[in-house]
Amino acid sequence: MTLLKTLPKSKRATVWVFPGQGSQKLGMGLDLQKFPLGKLRLQQAEDLLGWSISDVWQSENTKLSNTQYTQPCLYVFMTLLADLMKQSGYGPDLVTGYSFGEYVALYTAGAYDFETGLKLIKKRAEIMSRLPQGSMATLIGFEVDKLREEVFKTSDVWLANDDTKYAVISGTSQGIASILSNVPVERVIPLEVSAAFHTPLVEPAAKEFQAVLETTSFDALSIPVLSSTNFVFSLSINQVKESLVQQISQSVKWQMISKTLINQGVRKAIQIGCGQGLLKPMKNLAPELEISNVGSTADIDSLVIRDQLKKLFMLNSEAIKR
């Protein structure tokens, strides 16, 4: 097993991070359909899945929040953005993902091709869609100790992340309602999910999916992937597969992941997908960190223009010095 415990700061400066389920937005990916690669991938996905990704992207919000559809939609969306970024001359030194986002990180690192990854996601989504109904919610503005105390006392509710500012609770709808009735919270944001992910309630799905992973061949990784469960930079396929099983029922410790990235010399972070939710904790830890979000082809164009202007400015500065 090959583990990279440290990253050379001069060579491992840029990380691409990929958000998980709940980050989906109605209308995402519509601009990708006009590109040849987008058309190809959407047709490949429809042939494999038996339904249209673009239709769900565009107008079917109920389906988009259903696990069986959410995960393939996010996979196609984010892998397309990652490939278009590479076509524009960009590439990460390492990758990581929040829960489901780890699968897109692995695709970006070369663990499997598009169709192999989509088959894996299809099976994962089918398994998880059979789970009992559950709920998840992000809480903003609360007393940390009070929340932890109530979660500890309440059955069938767990903290699904390690953020003390934006806590995520996961469990049964009744359990979450009990928490919200006992803990004053400034803002509650229900997540568009259909089960209580990152809790013991989904362990049966993790065990079933483990068998699927064991029969799926992965290619050698071209760049390190930061594991979301043990926080090591890995090039080991066995280590990666173990993490994919564990992360289904374990809480997501994004604060710890962020600290690991910053401590190991990451100086630039790009979130591929909707929003900047993964970048904010990193920026709070390291205000000097350069962050960008790529959620559309327009964002890629803006990134290219910005970097071209930066290079032009540097060239002009060097010319003036001479």
Side-chain angles (χ1 to χ4, degrees):
M1 180 169 65
T2 302
L3 297 181
L4 303 182
K5 294 185 179 179
T6 60
L7 293 171
K9 293 185 179 181
S10 61
K11 295 182 179 180
R12 303 292 180 184
T14 301
V15 62
W16 286 6
V17 299
F18 300 89
Q21 190 168 346
S23 67
Q24 69 274 6
K25 303 290 183 184
L26 193 64
M28 68 181 189
L30 296 183
D31 60 321
L32 303 177
Q33 301 177 74
K34 63 184 179 182
F35 294 92
L37 181 61
K39 293 177 181 178
L40 172 63
R41 291 292 171 74
L42 288 170
Q43 187 58 59
Q44 288 177 312
E46 185 167 352
D47 291 343
L48 194 153
L49 299 169
W51 49 272
S52 170
I53 290 278
S54 59
D55 285 350
V56 179
W57 276 352
Q58 185 169 357
S59 61
E60 300 186 42
N61 196 39
T62 301
K63 281 188 175 180
L64 190 57
S65 62
N66 183 308
T67 297
Q68 191 168 350
Y69 295 93
T70 310
Q71 294 186 6
C73 282
L74 281 172
Y75 176 80
V76 175
F77 172 57
M78 291 192 286
T79 55
L80 265 172
L81 286 173
D83 283 339
L84 290 172
M85 280 283 285
K86 290 181 177 180
Q87 287 185 4
S88 298
Y90 293 95
D93 296 306
L94 64 148
V95 290
T96 191
Y98 189 108
S99 187
F100 167 81
E102 196 165 353
Y103 291 84
V104 189
L106 287 167
Y107 167 81
T108 305
Y112 34 70
D113 61 25
F114 173 77
E115 289 190 330
T116 299
L118 185 56
K119 289 176 183 177
L120 192 63
I121 294 306
K122 178 177 183 288
K123 189 62 179 178
R124 183 180 190 266
E126 288 172 352
I127 291 171
M128 299 182 83
S129 69
R130 296 196 295 269
L131 289 166
Q133 287 292 307
S135 300
M136 299 179 71
T138 298
L139 311 184
I140 302 173
F142 53 88
E143 185 181 331
V144 176
D145 290 341
K146 176 65 174 175
L147 176 62
R148 288 175 175 168
E149 178 186 350
E150 289 299 325
V151 168
F152 180 76
K153 293 191 304 183
T154 306
S155 61
D156 294 338
V157 178
W158 292 263
L159 282 169
N161 70 344
D162 64 343
D163 197 322
T164 57
K165 187 176 181 180
Y166 301 96
V168 177
I169 55 175
S170 181
T172 63
S173 298
Q174 296 89 341
I176 288 180
S178 176
I179 293 292
L180 296 179
S181 66
N182 291 311
V183 180
V185 179
E186 291 180 10
R187 186 181 179 194
V188 179
I189 306 173
L191 298 183
E192 296 292 337
V193 297
S194 55
F197 302 124
H198 305 296
T199 74
L201 296 178
V202 298
E203 283 181 357
K207 292 179 180 178
E208 185 177 352
F209 187 62
Q210 184 174 7
V212 177
L213 278 172
E214 289 173 352
T215 60
T216 303
S217 296
F218 281 26
D219 297 326
L221 301 178
S222 59
I223 55 175
V225 176
L226 177 58
S227 167
S228 62
T229 56
N230 60 15
F231 320 117
V232 295
F233 299 99
S234 181
L235 289 170
S236 165
I237 297 304
N238 289 337
Q239 178 72 37
V240 162
K241 288 187 175 183
E242 183 180 338
S243 176
L244 293 179
V245 174
Q246 293 173 347
Q247 53 121 291
I248 292 175
S249 58
Q250 290 187 10
S251 64
V252 181
K253 295 180 171 56
W254 189 256
Q255 288 288 325
M256 182 64 73
I257 292 172
S258 298
K259 288 178 182 178
T260 302
L261 291 169
I262 298 302
N263 290 340
Q264 295 300 327
V266 166
R267 294 295 174 262
K268 184 176 182 179
I270 300 177
Q271 178 167 326
I272 309 293
C274 299
Q276 294 192 8
L278 302 183
L279 299 175
K280 292 176 181 178
M282 299 177 68
K283 189 72 170 177
N284 289 337
L285 289 170
E288 73 280 5
L289 183 71
E290 182 181 342
I291 63 173
S292 302
N293 169 244
V294 172
S296 66
T297 54
D299 290 333
I300 298 176
D301 292 340
S302 296
L303 198 61
V304 170
I305 293 171
R306 187 191 70 184
D307 288 345
Q308 288 176 341
L309 290 174
K310 186 185 296 184
K311 289 179 182 178
L312 183 61
F313 176 78
M314 293 176 65
L315 289 172
N316 288 338
S317 297
E318 290 296 323
I320 291 173
K321 289 179 182 178
R322 290 197 291 268

